[in-house]
């Protein structure tokens, strides 16, 4: 069996195994988390880059 054939067979098994509705939900949740982390990082960077006032 060639490597290409093995990869195609494994890919077919993986595609058959995945619950695509659940995968879409996971992707949506990951996007929400990514946005929140980006916002929090921007806020943190803004706080840490500002000069302290005396």
């Amino acid at each position: 069996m060639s490597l290409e054939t093995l990869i195609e067979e494994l890919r077919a098994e993986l595609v058959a195994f995945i619950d695509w509705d659940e995968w879409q939900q996971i992707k949506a949740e990951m996007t929400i988390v990514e946005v929140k982390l980006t916002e929090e990082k921007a806020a943190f960077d803004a706080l840490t880059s500002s000069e302290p006032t005396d």
Side-chain angles (χ1 to χ4, degrees), residues 3-22:
L3 180 58
E4 290 81 13
T5 304
L6 179 60
I7 291 171
E8 283 302 314
E9 287 184 12
L10 289 173
R11 182 183 169 281
E13 287 182 30
L14 180 61
V15 167
F17 178 75
I18 293 175
D19 178 345
W20 291 105
D21 291 334
E22 182 179 0

Side-chain angles (χ1 to χ4, degrees), residues 13-42:
E13 287 182 30
L14 180 61
V15 167
F17 178 75
I18 293 175
D19 178 345
W20 291 105
D21 291 334
E22 182 179 0
W23 175 244
Q24 291 300 320
Q25 179 66 30
I26 290 169
K27 282 177 45 179
E29 290 171 5
M30 289 189 308
T31 300
I32 292 168
V33 169
E34 183 179 8
V35 169
K36 287 180 181 179
L37 288 174
T38 301
E39 291 170 351
E40 289 178 9
K41 182 183 182 310

